[in-house]
Amino acid sequence: TDPTNVISRHNLGVARTNAGNALFDLGRPREALAKHLESREAQEALAARSAMLAGRLSVAHFVAALTAGELGQMALSERYQAESLRYYGLWKNAFPAGSYEAQFWPKADPVFEAEFALVQGDLARARAVTRGAREGLLQVRPGDDPGRQREQASFLRRLHAALGRVELESDDF
């Protein structure tokens, strides 16, 4: 791949995230963690000039943080979480004010926060950060765009999965 082609770098990152997710699903979390971070260096060099790569790095660090947390490596999980949030902020800031994306993504923040809290074993924080999250996600109308509809549905599913996990793990159902 051309090391300066941000689209190629982005697509390679997507492929590695998918491979990392597959490895995790196969019960190989240590390999998954390494795979999630495999293209990090090449992408970081280009992220300052590409919101697309900043978003990709946010995802790579996000899944790495969750995986490290599931492995019990909390300090590493927190470090990857901080990197994920840093890149996520750069990515979100690239959206024009008033756009669907500028409205939607801040409403998705509680889902990310709850997922981080769950892998860190903080059920109270996971429950607290999700208060009003469903309503917030539903406030942003995806219109007739199937991609936006799918994205909103995906975050509602993730929110409900996080809330279900909180209830199961706290024996409060």
Side-chain angles (χ1 to χ4, degrees), residues 81-165:
Q81 176 186 3
E83 282 298 299
S84 176
L85 293 174
R86 182 172 71 84
Y87 284 115
Y88 179 58
L90 293 172
W91 180 73
K92 281 195 308 185
N93 288 338
F95 295 119
S99 68
Y100 170 83
E101 291 78 9
Q103 295 172 44
F104 177 81
W105 287 104
K107 303 293 185 184
D109 289 354
V111 176
F112 298 126
E113 292 174 36
E115 291 170 334
F116 282 133
L118 282 168
V119 298
Q120 294 167 348
D122 192 342
L123 301 177
R125 192 176 94 211
R127 184 177 279 139
V129 298
T130 57
R131 286 195 185 101
R134 182 178 186 281
E135 293 77 12
L137 285 166
L138 291 172
Q139 283 175 355
V140 183
R141 303 279 183 221
D144 294 330
D145 185 314
R148 290 176 177 170
Q149 292 171 353
R150 185 186 70 224
E151 190 169 63
Q152 184 183 50
S154 173
F155 273 86
L156 287 166
R157 179 196 55 76
R158 286 171 63 179
L159 172 66
H160 294 141
L163 289 170
R165 185 170 167 188

